[in-house]
Amino acid sequence: MNLRHTTKNQKTRYYELDALRGIAAVSVMLFHFTINTNKTLLGWEFRFGVTGVDLFFMISGFVILLSASKTSTAGRFVRSRYVRLYPAFWLCALLTFLVKQTIEPLSTSTNELLANATMVPIFFGHEYLDGSYWTLVIELTFYLGVAALLFSGWIGQIEEVGLSCIAAIVLLHSNAGFYPGFYHFITNKVQIINHFPLFFSGIVCYRIKSLGWTFRRSSYLIISMAASIYLHDKGGPAHHFVSLREHSVLIISFHILFILFIHGQLQFLKQRVLIFCGEISYCLYLIHQYVGLKIMDALAGAGQFNMYVALIVTVSICIFSAWLITTCIELPVIGYLRSKRQQARVKPAYIINTVAIDTRTTESIIERKTSSEDCSSSALRKAANTVTLAATGNSGTSINILKSSSSRSFATSDAPNAITARIKAAAIVRKPSSFAK
């Protein structure tokens, strides 16, 4: 199965990343299901699964820059991220809330649900409905940063901006003793500063895959990897479960995986089961922790299942639930919202009228139907190519049309007769029949 080369209406998809995303999601799920009390009952724990979020962050850095490179404006980028993130999140958060209300009615409230609906409940004084949601605000912050670069026109300098951010982050952490109050606040409220180097590694890997290796990008990747290791105990739960040496080995391993991916050496990961897990990974991540642990506790606590059977049944239920939400809710809703957005961008046929200002010319008219999403300069330029300028004694003169960047107007010139006119193009949405009068 090769990389899918799609049409303009589809998206390029890297199945290796789907597989890695699936591995990361299952790793995080197994981590949550085998720690604390369950560790005692099972006799083991999959503590390395805590670093699955590190792999998620690297994948996000790669994929989000890929998405941004295909997006013309910051607004469209933000809308595409909104459509991708929020519908499934709202449903999973609601399901988690209902389960929590049923089992622990005093532990949650409608206000907590509403605060969680924003993905940033910590800014409203509420806890996350599900413990896994702590990474969502980090992802959201990263998306907003990319949107800001798109808006400012600096997206082409994202590597330099990212490297500057890493330098600032390392300085912030290394001098924490000078501002303990501020440090505590910023590291808890803006948690991306504890994980940004992983996103940056994904960004650099995308640039390497797109534009090739350079000494500069190799240096960026090494710096980013070293910074990620430095931040081992600066934030996130990883340092509670893995040592610095273990975490370092895992972070280096993730970077090696990406280097192999860049060179097309992860083809062996294109297995249907891994790709399937990648396709449902978002919903699996959202729904598994609180709901899954309650199911596992109920199965094991009833005494009818031993812990291994309870673990297998719980994992199966979570995967099935994630698949159901993905196929029946998430994908249809995303498809509907995207189709509505595309329909909103398509306007009725434009009829562009142009009138020659030069007194020596007769009135000239462009009739051109377009289905472009707006009356852009490119649309006007194409329409203006049909102009026939009827100059006195030079009916049907051939003209050259130059785009005016300041307004929707075109300068025309007839070199042989030194006739120059300025034509203002006004796009008017109207029925063709009304123009024919």
Side-chain angles (χ1 to χ4, degrees):
M1 187 189 310
N2 296 323
L3 169 66
R4 181 190 300 170
H5 295 284
T6 59
T7 64
K8 66 180 180 179
N9 294 322
Q10 297 173 312
K11 292 183 177 180
T12 300
R13 194 175 193 95
Y14 293 103
Y15 289 105
E16 301 96 322
L17 295 185
D18 275 340
L20 289 176
R21 191 183 287 113
I23 292 171
V26 172
S27 296
V28 171
M29 177 174 61
L30 290 177
F31 163 71
H32 287 140
F33 289 171
T34 60
I35 59 173
N36 301 329
T37 303
N38 290 344
K39 171 189 174 182
T40 304
L41 297 174
L42 288 167
W44 58 276
E45 65 177 344
F46 187 59
R47 57 193 179 88
F48 298 117
V50 70
T51 61
V53 295
D54 295 344
L55 189 53
F56 271 133
F57 292 153
M58 286 188 67
I59 293 170
S60 287
F62 185 100
V63 172
I64 296 307
L65 187 55
L66 170 65
S67 176
S69 69
K70 298 180 179 181
T71 305
S72 58
T73 66
R76 287 185 185 175
F77 173 79
V78 170
R79 287 193 295 271
S80 70
R81 290 296 91 201
Y82 163 79
V83 169
R84 177 67 181 88
L85 291 181
Y86 275 94
F89 171 71
W90 285 334
L91 177 60
C92 292
L94 178 61
L95 291 174
T96 301
F97 172 76
L98 294 176
V99 172
K100 202 169 186 178
Q101 275 281 12
T102 301
I103 299 174
E104 304 173 277
L106 299 180
S107 68
T108 188
S109 65
T110 303
N111 287 338
E112 185 177 45
L113 174 63
L114 294 175
N116 272 265
T118 65
M119 280 194 187
V120 289
I122 56 174
F123 290 106
F124 299 96
H126 290 278
E127 297 295 324
Y128 297 107
L129 279 170
D130 188 294
S132 297
Y133 293 175
W134 70 274
T135 63
L136 299 179
V137 66
I138 296 174
E139 293 274 357
L140 203 60
T141 306
F142 175 63
Y143 299 164
L144 291 175
V146 173
L149 291 179
L150 277 169
F151 180 78
S152 64
W154 285 14
I155 194 67
Q157 289 73 47
I158 191 170
E159 292 170 281
E160 290 71 24
V161 172
L163 188 66
S164 300
C165 289
I166 287 179
I169 288 169
V170 171
L171 286 173
L172 173 73
H173 285 290
S174 60
N175 294 282
F178 293 103
Y179 34 77
F182 173 75
Y183 179 77
H184 176 76
F185 171 82
I186 199 72
T187 53
N188 280 276
K189 297 297 185 182
V190 190
Q191 295 182 45
I192 193 172
I193 64 176
N194 305 319
H195 306 277
F196 175 74
L198 294 164
F199 289 96
F200 186 65
S201 291
I203 289 170
V204 175
C205 286
Y206 172 76
R207 282 298 181 89
I208 292 172
K209 189 164 183 66
S210 301
L211 305 174
W213 285 93
T214 63
F215 176 77
R216 176 170 55 87
R217 292 194 181 98
S218 301
S219 302
Y220 288 171
L221 198 58
I222 292 172
I223 291 170
S224 183
M225 184 170 59
S228 297
I229 293 171
Y230 169 75
L231 294 175
H232 161 72
D233 59 348
K234 304 299 188 293
H239 66 283
H240 296 299
F241 297 92
V242 295
S243 67
L244 174 60
R245 177 178 297 179
E246 291 169 335
H247 201 186
S248 300
V249 170
L250 287 166
I251 288 174
I252 293 171
S253 298
F254 294 156
H255 283 75
I256 292 173
L257 282 174
F258 263 79
I259 292 172
L260 291 174
F261 161 65
I262 288 170
H263 291 283
Q265 299 302 311
L266 289 186
Q267 302 293 318
F268 64 91
L269 288 181
K270 292 182 178 181
Q271 306 299 321
R272 183 56 202 163
V273 63
L274 295 179
I275 294 172
F276 168 76
C277 289
E279 290 170 346
I280 67 168
S281 60
Y282 183 50
C283 291
L284 181 61
Y285 184 83
L286 293 175
I287 201 67
H288 82 274
Q289 186 171 353
Y290 182 83
V291 174
L293 284 173
K294 292 305 177 183
I295 293 173
M296 195 169 176
D297 290 345
L299 293 174
Q304 299 177 356
F305 300 93
N306 65 37
M307 279 301 294
Y308 283 96
V309 175
L311 175 61
I312 293 171
V313 171
T314 302
V315 168
S316 300
I317 291 173
C318 288
I319 290 176
F320 176 76
S321 300
W323 170 80
L324 199 63
I325 296 170
T326 300
T327 56
C328 297
I329 305 296
E330 181 191 13
L331 294 181
V333 169
I334 289 175
Y336 173 77
L337 292 177
R338 284 178 176 170
S339 65
K340 294 293 288 184
R341 189 178 66 197
Q342 290 170 358
Q343 290 173 11
R345 292 206 301 259
V346 176
K347 299 292 193 301
Y350 286 112
I351 295 178
I352 303 176
N353 303 338
T354 65
V355 178
I357 306 302
D358 195 295
T359 57
R360 293 173 297 173
T361 67
T362 60
E363 181 179 76
S364 65
I365 299 172
I366 299 174
E367 288 189 62
R368 174 117 176 156
K369 299 179 183 179
T370 75
S371 59
S372 58
E373 60 188 82
D374 58 8
C375 189
S376 61
S377 340
S378 61
L380 290 173
R381 185 169 61 252
K382 291 177 182 178
N385 284 329
T386 65
V387 169
T388 299
L389 181 60
T392 303
N394 282 285
S395 180
T397 300
S398 176
I399 59 175
N400 295 320
I401 301 167
L402 305 173
K403 173 184 170 184
S404 170
S405 59
S406 61
S407 64
R408 289 176 177 173
S409 60
F410 299 88
T412 67
S413 63
D414 177 27
N417 296 282
I419 298 175
T420 301
R422 189 161 186 83
I423 297 177
K424 293 185 176 179
I428 305 172
V429 178
R430 58 170 69 174
K431 295 181 180 179
S433 58
S434 65
F435 177 74
K437 294 180 180 178

